[in-house]
Amino acid sequence: MNIPLLSLKSILSRPLSTLLSWLLMSFGVTIVVLILLVSAQLKNEISKNAQGIDLVVGAKGSPLQLILCNIFHVDFPTGNISLKEANNLSRNRYIESAIPMSLGDSYRGYRIVGTTKAYGDLYGAEIQSGQWFEEDMKAVVGANVANLLGLNLGSQFQSQHGMSEEGEEHEEQSIIVAGILAPSSTILDDLILVSIPSIWNVHEHEEEPGEHEGEIIDLPKLGIAVSQEQLEEEEITSILIKYRSPMAAVMLPRMVNEVGNFQAASPAYETARLFNIIGVGVDVVNIIGILIVVISAISVFIALLHSLKDRKYDIAIMRSMGATRRQIFVHVLMEGLLIAILGCISGLVLAHAAIGILAFYLEKLNLSWSFFVNDEVWVLTGGLIIGMLAAIIPAGLAYKTDISKTLSKA
Amino acid sequence: MIQIAGLSHCFSDNVVISYPDWQVADGEHSLILGASGSGKTTLLHLMSGLLKPTNGSVIFDTQEINQLSPSRMDKFRGAHVGLIFQKPHLIAALTVKENIKLSTFLGKKPEHNRHIEEMLDSLGLIELAHRKVHQLSQGQAQRVAIARALINHPKFVFGDEPTASLDDESCMKVVELLKRQSDQHGATLVIATHDQRVKNHFSNKLEL
């Protein structure tokens, strides 16, 4: 027999109130940890996907939408910009590099992105099998896409117009898988990459595809080569820009916004804004979680206080058997602490299990149950301290029990 | 030997109760007799160190226990004193055997399983060892309380109305048991009671 075991037996002898306190503690911790894990992983994800992109230039509209669509591939494009103007802009001396993006098509729910190899290089993409597309109508597919759609090298598919699975198919033109990317835990895993002209090709219904007269003009900054006709007439969705110097952050956005229907959006600024918007909701849920933990503490407090009424005599008897005041204090404190420890542990396990389940249903979110953050230690510490605080007054009362008075009142 | 000299206690409401000098020899069985309200329980608490006297002294052999610090007193009580009360008040969260183990733990004595089972056996409780406390009858529970008080081989055993809530048969059994077990362990026995049934079983009596 020892004090912790005695405390454990004591809380087990009150199964209902212990269950209630434990459940409350458990759910409170689950909510707090869940919020912590999801926001940490989301921030992680966002910064990973926004790396190396200082500015996104696209058609006028919501800057947040521009970012969401062109970096995270979740929202719809704001519209198109002319290739000619984009090319003119890309030659600006403040720009280190510019990656063209052409969006709008998908295949069975996965987005097809017209771009260049530079886009893959941005995320350090590595080819797992096959090779990068050298010519039009060839695709490099992300690891998840290949896996989930069962695409192999040489597979053919028709792109669909729009971002939904029900989109109309461009039946005339097939895209052939030329390469499959290794998993990178970035947005690339969920994309199908093709060349910019491939996107134009599938949308040309009247003309003969792939045949354009005139000399080919090299657009070195954008990394593509097009005919004069294409340069004049075609459009792209956006360009992803990397600054040459810090000065560019001041100058470039203003310059961009002066051009026709162009707008510039900074991923860092827009994601910070997004987090501010989401932040309110996150805070509310967090407060609810903390509130539940506090209610659990109150329930521990009431349960202990209530049980002390019945146990006053027991405590006096234990004192008469040689228990010191300190032992009695620790005994009661330990009861609160045990419930807090059990609640914290099960809350933590529950939160990670919930992440695992979320990850299973939301494949695009790239969540992992085995992802831990340092703040979890603080949640645990906080939970234990709250459990201890809840028990400290009952423990103090038990400590002060007057043995003689209690025993003579029996 | 237990000796009380010039003992008095002042309650919080300024009522003072004084006791005559008295002594109990080693291994002797003795009785404190008196009607309810006469201060028997208070005397027992003073003698067992649960209460500090306002005046006078309680001496166990050569140790004047009212000079001990509260925590030393707790330790002394755990090691040398066994207490039995009118109601058994076993710890409800524990089984019969665990209640006995708790006593060895709090008394800082080694927890020998064989020793505990022998004790349970000698009190006819061995079959009840793993029962929950609420499954016991009043008499059984009182026997467990006796086992709990004696398991650490205390030199001094105090009983506060240990027979008051028992029927005649159980009453005699408990008295016999207390005397026999005390003899067996060489303990000095002091019982405070108003129970006339036990009066004739003791020679050293202090009437209050």
Side-chain angles (χ1 to χ4, degrees), chain A residues 60-74:
Chain A
K60 278 216 175 1
S62 146
L64 183 58
Q65 190 184 353
L66 193 62
I67 298 294
L68 287 177
C69 165
N70 287 290
I71 294 184
F72 306 111
H73 298 273
V74 284

Side-chain angles (χ1 to χ4, degrees), chain A residues 53-57 70-71 97-101 119 122-123 238-242:
Chain A
I53 304 171
D54 293 323
L55 200 68
V56 179
V57 174
N70 287 290
I71 294 184
S97 68
I99 303 168
M101 302 280 282
Y119 185 59
L122 187 63
Y123 297 115
S238 67
I239 46 179
L240 309 181
I241 287 170
K242 189 169 167 48

Side-chain angles (χ1 to χ4, degrees), chain A residues 30-42 347-363 365-373 376:
Chain A
T30 303
I31 290 175
V32 174
V33 172
L34 200 60
I35 289 287
L36 217 57
L37 287 176
V38 170
S39 60
Q41 295 196 45
L42 223 55
L348 211 65
V349 170
L350 227 58
H352 281 274
I355 290 280
I357 293 167
L358 270 178
F360 184 77
Y361 284 107
L362 303 170
E363 283 149 352
L365 263 181
N366 243 328
L367 296 168
S368 165
W369 66 269
S370 57
F371 180 93
F372 284 86
V373 293
E376 282 173 84

